[in-house]
Amino acid sequence: PVLMAGMGTGLAPWRAVTQERVMQKRQGLKTGPCVLFFGARYAKYEFLYREEFEGYMKEGVLQMHTAFSRDQARKVYVQHRIVEAGEDVARYMLKENGHFYVCGSARQVPEDIYCAMKTVIMASERCEEEDAEATLSNLKMEGRYTVEAWS
């Protein structure tokens, strides 16, 4: 499984990964789950490649969770969507050897997603925070939890 989180223009690399998965599936190759968490302020103005991604979801290649923080009174961010999908995230990462990639602003996003992942692991494994941090540390060392962030 490949899990990706992209905020704003951080969506661009995940478009390429998803396009590769689509091509592989269309060629009859076996592909694992492809899950994308995408966040921006407004769906109407910032849902980049919307029609393309919706097509991939219809094909069954992509599962997509969106968070548009300014489209409702209560702000919803990618980390909220990760926790909401926690059972699947935990299964893909901890039972099925998934890879999780984060791409976006270096401001608060990487830390917020890291905290969401800790929450997911603590709930799934019924463990303490330090055990969840150790699990995330191991995933990083194995190259299965990667953050590409910029200022």
Side-chain angles (χ1 to χ4, degrees):
V2 174
L3 294 91
M4 305 163 288
M7 286 56 67
T9 57
L11 178 64
W14 309 144
R15 179 182 182 215
V17 170
T18 304
Q19 288 171 334
E20 180 180 22
R21 285 290 178 106
V22 168
M23 182 191 71
Q24 291 169 340
K25 184 172 183 187
R26 289 176 182 170
Q27 292 174 343
L29 300 174
K30 186 176 182 202
T31 60
C34 185
V35 182
L36 174 59
F37 296 92
F38 172 61
R41 292 171 298 180
Y42 300 99
K44 182 177 179 179
Y45 306 110
E46 298 171 302
F47 194 166
L48 307 170
Y49 315 111
R50 179 183 202 144
E51 295 81 17
E52 181 179 339
F53 283 116
E54 287 173 347
Y56 298 154
M57 289 187 294
K58 286 179 185 169
E59 283 186 59
V61 177
L62 177 67
Q63 299 168 40
M64 189 168 191
H65 304 268
T66 57
F68 297 102
S69 62
R70 306 302 192 276
D71 280 350
Q72 62 283 315
R74 180 183 154 268
K75 291 183 180 176
V76 177
Y77 296 109
V78 165
Q79 60 267 24
H80 300 126
R81 298 298 188 220
I82 291 168
V83 171
E84 289 170 6
E87 286 183 30
D88 288 338
V89 171
R91 184 178 73 252
Y92 292 148
M93 291 302 296
L94 305 176
K95 309 286 188 262
E96 298 180 20
N97 283 337
H99 289 72
F100 196 105
Y101 302 97
V102 179
C103 190
S105 169
R107 293 176 64 193
Q108 188 64 31
V109 172
E111 183 61 29
D112 290 340
I113 290 177
Y114 179 84
C115 289
M117 289 298 290
K118 273 196 309 190
T119 299
V120 165
I121 292 168
M122 288 186 302
S124 168
E125 302 302 297
R126 294 182 173 88
C127 66
E128 299 296 322
E129 185 174 3
E130 62 192 34
D131 296 322
E133 288 177 349
T135 298
L136 282 167
S137 179
N138 287 336
L139 290 172
K140 285 180 182 181
M141 288 189 306
E142 293 169 5
R144 295 180 42 221
Y145 184 87
T146 304
V147 176
E148 180 65 38
W150 59 85
S151 302

